[in-house]
Protein backbone atom coordinates (compact mmCIF):
# COMPACT_ATOMS: atom_id res chain seq x y z
CA UNK A 1 0.00 0.00 0.00
CA UNK A 2 1.37 3.39 -1.03
CA UNK A 3 1.50 6.20 1.47
CA UNK A 4 0.68 9.46 -0.36
CA UNK A 5 1.50 12.86 1.09
CA UNK A 6 -1.18 14.82 -0.77
CA UNK A 7 -4.85 14.67 0.14
CA UNK A 8 -7.05 13.15 -2.56
CA UNK A 9 -10.48 14.44 -3.57
CA UNK A 10 -12.94 11.90 -5.00
CA UNK A 11 -16.62 12.16 -5.85
CA UNK A 12 -18.28 9.67 -3.51
CA UNK A 13 -17.99 7.08 -0.77
CA UNK A 14 -17.58 4.11 -3.12
CA UNK A 15 -14.68 5.89 -4.83
CA UNK A 16 -13.19 6.57 -1.41
CA UNK A 17 -13.55 2.92 -0.39
CA UNK A 18 -11.86 1.68 -3.57
CA UNK A 19 -8.98 4.11 -3.16
CA UNK A 20 -8.53 3.42 0.57
CA UNK A 21 -7.76 -0.20 -0.29
CA UNK A 22 -4.67 0.77 -2.32
CA UNK A 23 -3.28 3.97 -0.79
CA UNK A 24 -2.80 5.42 2.64
CA UNK A 25 -3.78 9.08 2.33
CA UNK A 26 -6.32 11.66 3.43
CA UNK A 27 -9.25 10.99 1.09
CA UNK A 28 -12.12 13.49 0.97
CA UNK A 29 -15.44 13.02 -0.81
CA UNK A 30 -16.89 15.99 -2.69
CA UNK A 31 -20.32 14.30 -2.42
CA UNK A 32 -20.72 14.91 -6.13
CA UNK A 33 -22.04 18.37 -6.96
CA UNK A 34 -22.78 19.13 -3.29
CA UNK A 35 -19.28 20.59 -2.99
CA UNK A 36 -20.56 23.57 -5.02
CA UNK A 37 -22.81 24.65 -2.13
CA UNK A 38 -20.95 23.20 0.85
CA UNK A 39 -18.61 26.01 1.94
CA UNK A 40 -17.21 23.94 4.80
CA UNK A 41 -16.20 21.12 2.43
CA UNK A 42 -14.59 23.58 0.02
CA UNK A 43 -12.74 25.28 2.89
CA UNK A 44 -11.48 21.87 4.05
CA UNK A 45 -10.21 21.07 0.55
CA UNK A 46 -8.52 24.48 0.33
CA UNK A 47 -6.86 24.00 3.70
CA UNK A 48 -5.64 20.52 2.81
CA UNK A 49 -4.36 21.80 -0.53
CA UNK A 50 -2.39 24.60 1.13
CA UNK A 51 -0.86 22.28 3.75
CA UNK A 52 -0.33 19.02 1.86
CA UNK A 53 -1.32 19.55 -1.76
CA UNK A 54 -4.48 18.09 -3.30
CA UNK A 55 -4.91 15.47 -6.02
CA UNK A 56 -8.27 15.52 -7.82
CA UNK A 57 -9.40 12.06 -8.97
CA UNK A 58 -12.85 12.12 -10.55
CA UNK A 59 -14.73 9.83 -12.92
CA UNK A 60 -13.93 10.23 -16.65
CA UNK A 61 -17.41 11.53 -17.48
CA UNK A 62 -19.03 14.92 -17.86
CA UNK A 63 -19.97 15.18 -14.18
CA UNK A 64 -16.40 14.39 -13.13
CA UNK A 65 -15.11 17.06 -15.50
CA UNK A 66 -17.48 19.68 -14.02
CA UNK A 67 -16.32 18.89 -10.47
CA UNK A 68 -12.66 18.88 -11.55
CA UNK A 69 -13.03 22.27 -13.26
CA UNK A 70 -14.81 23.74 -10.24
CA UNK A 71 -11.93 22.72 -7.97
CA UNK A 72 -9.42 23.96 -10.55
CA UNK A 73 -11.03 27.39 -10.27
CA UNK A 74 -11.33 27.33 -6.46
CA UNK A 75 -7.82 26.19 -5.48
CA UNK A 76 -4.48 27.72 -6.52
CA UNK A 77 -2.88 25.71 -9.37
CA UNK A 78 0.42 25.28 -7.49
CA UNK A 79 -1.44 23.31 -4.78
CA UNK A 80 -3.37 21.07 -7.17
CA UNK A 81 -2.57 17.93 -9.14
CA UNK A 82 -4.94 16.07 -11.45
CA UNK A 83 -5.10 12.29 -11.71
CA UNK A 84 -6.99 10.78 -14.63
CA UNK A 85 -8.33 7.26 -15.07
CA UNK A 86 -8.94 5.78 -18.54
CA UNK A 87 -12.33 5.68 -20.19
CA UNK A 88 -13.58 2.13 -19.80
CA UNK A 89 -17.10 1.22 -20.87
CA UNK A 90 -19.13 -0.87 -18.47
CA UNK A 91 -20.88 -0.76 -15.11
CA UNK A 92 -19.79 -1.18 -11.52
CA UNK A 93 -20.76 -4.44 -9.81
CA UNK A 94 -23.04 -2.79 -7.27
CA UNK A 95 -25.11 -1.03 -9.95
CA UNK A 96 -28.00 -2.50 -11.90
CA UNK A 97 -27.30 -0.39 -14.97
CA UNK A 98 -24.34 1.57 -16.33
CA UNK A 99 -24.00 5.26 -15.48
CA UNK A 100 -25.41 7.98 -17.71
CA UNK A 101 -22.43 7.92 -20.09
CA UNK A 102 -21.80 4.18 -19.73
CA UNK A 103 -18.27 4.56 -18.34
CA UNK A 104 -16.70 2.97 -15.28
CA UNK A 105 -15.87 5.38 -12.49
CA UNK A 106 -13.09 5.43 -9.93
CA UNK A 107 -14.78 2.65 -7.94
CA UNK A 108 -14.73 0.36 -11.00
CA UNK A 109 -10.99 0.65 -11.66
CA UNK A 110 -8.44 -1.96 -10.67
CA UNK A 111 -5.98 -1.12 -7.88
CA UNK A 112 -3.14 -1.00 -10.44
CA UNK A 113 -4.97 1.58 -12.56
CA UNK A 114 -5.65 3.77 -9.51
CA UNK A 115 -2.03 3.65 -8.36
CA UNK A 116 -0.78 4.38 -11.88
CA UNK A 117 -3.14 7.36 -12.20
CA UNK A 118 -1.88 8.85 -8.93
CA UNK A 119 1.78 8.31 -9.81
CA UNK A 120 1.30 9.84 -13.27
CA UNK A 121 -0.26 12.88 -11.61
CA UNK A 122 2.93 13.36 -9.60
CA UNK A 123 1.74 12.06 -6.23
CA UNK A 124 4.43 12.30 -3.56
CA UNK A 125 5.03 8.82 -2.16
CA UNK A 126 6.14 9.07 1.46
CA UNK A 127 9.62 7.67 1.99
CA UNK A 128 10.65 8.34 -1.62
CA UNK A 129 12.25 11.38 -3.15
CA UNK A 130 9.98 13.61 -5.12
CA UNK A 131 10.04 12.87 -8.83
CA UNK A 132 12.16 15.30 -10.79
CA UNK A 133 10.24 17.85 -12.83
CA UNK A 134 9.51 16.67 -16.37
CA UNK A 135 8.76 18.85 -19.34
CA UNK A 136 8.52 22.54 -19.83
CA UNK A 137 5.87 22.29 -22.53
CA UNK A 138 3.91 25.42 -23.42
CA UNK A 139 0.77 26.01 -25.50
CA UNK A 140 3.12 26.99 -28.33
CA UNK A 141 4.67 23.51 -28.16
CA UNK A 142 1.24 21.91 -28.54
CA UNK A 143 0.70 24.07 -31.64
CA UNK A 144 4.14 23.23 -33.05
CA UNK A 145 3.47 19.52 -32.51
CA UNK A 146 0.14 19.79 -34.35
CA UNK A 147 -2.01 19.16 -31.29
CA UNK A 148 -3.79 22.53 -31.52
CA UNK A 149 -4.56 25.07 -34.22
CA UNK A 150 -4.25 22.79 -37.27
CA UNK A 151 -6.97 21.09 -39.35
CA UNK A 152 -6.11 17.61 -38.01
CA UNK A 153 -5.30 18.72 -34.43
CA UNK A 154 -8.45 17.20 -32.90
CA UNK A 155 -7.70 13.86 -34.56
CA UNK A 156 -4.07 13.90 -33.39
CA UNK A 157 -5.12 14.85 -29.85
CA UNK A 158 -7.71 12.06 -29.78
CA UNK A 159 -5.10 9.50 -30.88
CA UNK A 160 -2.70 10.73 -28.20
CA UNK A 161 -5.40 10.59 -25.50
CA UNK A 162 -6.25 7.02 -26.51
CA UNK A 163 -2.57 6.02 -26.43
CA UNK A 164 -2.11 7.55 -22.95
CA UNK A 165 -5.46 6.09 -21.77
CA UNK A 166 -6.79 9.50 -20.78
CA UNK A 167 -10.40 10.78 -20.97
CA UNK A 168 -11.38 11.76 -24.51
CA UNK A 169 -12.90 15.08 -23.41
CA UNK A 170 -9.69 16.40 -21.81
CA UNK A 171 -9.21 20.08 -22.69
CA UNK A 172 -5.99 21.35 -24.29
CA UNK A 173 -5.08 23.08 -21.01
CA UNK A 174 -5.60 19.91 -18.97
CA UNK A 175 -3.71 17.89 -21.58
CA UNK A 176 -0.78 20.30 -21.30
CA UNK A 177 -0.73 19.82 -17.53
CA UNK A 178 -0.72 16.02 -17.89
CA UNK A 179 1.96 16.05 -20.58
CA UNK A 180 4.18 18.29 -18.46
CA UNK A 181 3.92 15.76 -15.63
CA UNK A 182 4.87 12.88 -17.92
CA UNK A 183 7.15 14.03 -20.74
CA UNK A 184 9.89 16.35 -21.86
CA UNK A 185 9.24 18.12 -25.18
CA UNK A 186 11.66 15.70 -26.89
CA UNK A 187 9.92 12.63 -25.43
CA UNK A 188 6.51 13.93 -26.51
CA UNK A 189 7.74 14.61 -30.05
CA UNK A 190 9.07 11.04 -30.22
CA UNK A 191 5.77 9.63 -28.95
CA UNK A 192 3.84 11.59 -31.59
CA UNK A 193 6.19 10.28 -34.31
CA UNK A 194 5.49 6.73 -33.14
CA UNK A 195 1.74 7.42 -33.24
CA UNK A 196 1.96 8.87 -36.75
CA UNK A 197 3.85 5.84 -38.06
CA UNK A 198 1.52 3.26 -36.49
Amino acid sequence: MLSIREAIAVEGRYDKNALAQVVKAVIVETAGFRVFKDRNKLNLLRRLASQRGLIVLTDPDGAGLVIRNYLRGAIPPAQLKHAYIPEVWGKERRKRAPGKEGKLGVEGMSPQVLVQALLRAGATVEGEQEAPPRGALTPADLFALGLTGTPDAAERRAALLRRLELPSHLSSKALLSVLNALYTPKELAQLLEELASS
Side-chain angles (χ1 to χ4, degrees):
M1 181 175 283
L2 286 180
S3 182
I4 304 292
R5 171 175 166 66
E6 292 89 355
I8 305 170
V10 295
E11 292 180 53
R13 71 175 182 265
Y14 293 105
D15 300 333
K16 182 177 181 177
N17 291 343
L19 199 55
Q21 294 175 35
V22 293
V23 297
K24 183 179 175 185
V26 176
I27 305 170
V28 180
E29 302 167 38
T30 66
F33 293 146
R34 278 186 239 157
V35 72
F36 300 164
K37 294 180 180 178
D38 187 342
R39 302 307 281 164
N40 292 333
K41 180 69 61 87
L42 182 58
N43 288 336
L44 171 63
L45 291 171
R46 284 177 169 153
R47 187 169 180 194
L48 287 168
S50 70
Q51 292 179 353
R52 309 175 66 93
L54 182 70
I55 300 173
V56 179
L57 177 61
T58 59
D59 295 347
D61 58 11
L65 180 65
V66 170
I67 294 166
R68 183 181 298 277
N69 286 337
Y70 175 76
L71 294 175
R72 182 179 279 129
I75 296 170
Q79 299 170 1
L80 208 53
K81 295 177 182 178
H82 292 275
Y84 297 93
I85 57 173
E87 289 181 330
V88 177
W89 303 96
K91 72 171 190 67
E92 283 83 9
R93 287 185 199 158
R94 69 177 179 84
K95 295 182 179 176
R96 291 184 182 178
K100 190 175 181 181
E101 293 182 29
K103 300 172 188 173
L104 288 179
V106 170
E107 70 173 282
M109 294 291 127
S110 71
Q112 296 84 2
V113 169
L114 294 174
V115 168
Q116 183 183 30
L118 292 169
L119 294 177
R120 284 195 317 193
T124 306
V125 178
E126 297 286 353
E128 292 185 8
Q129 289 185 328
E130 246 181 276
R134 301 296 296 149
L137 295 161
T138 66
D141 292 318
L142 293 188
F143 178 78
L145 292 167
L147 294 171
T148 59
T150 62
D152 64 341
E155 192 176 298
R156 289 172 61 88
R157 246 187 349 269
L160 179 63
L161 290 170
R162 279 192 303 276
R163 172 71 177 270
L164 298 178
E165 295 184 328
L166 293 170
S168 60
H169 54 69
L170 208 61
S171 69
S172 297
K173 186 175 180 181
L175 175 61
L176 183 62
S177 170
V178 170
L179 293 175
N180 267 320
L182 298 174
Y183 300 102
T184 64
K186 185 177 179 181
E187 289 168 342
L188 179 59
Q190 184 178 348
L191 177 62
L192 289 170
E193 282 179 29
E194 290 170 13
L195 275 175
S197 63
S198 62

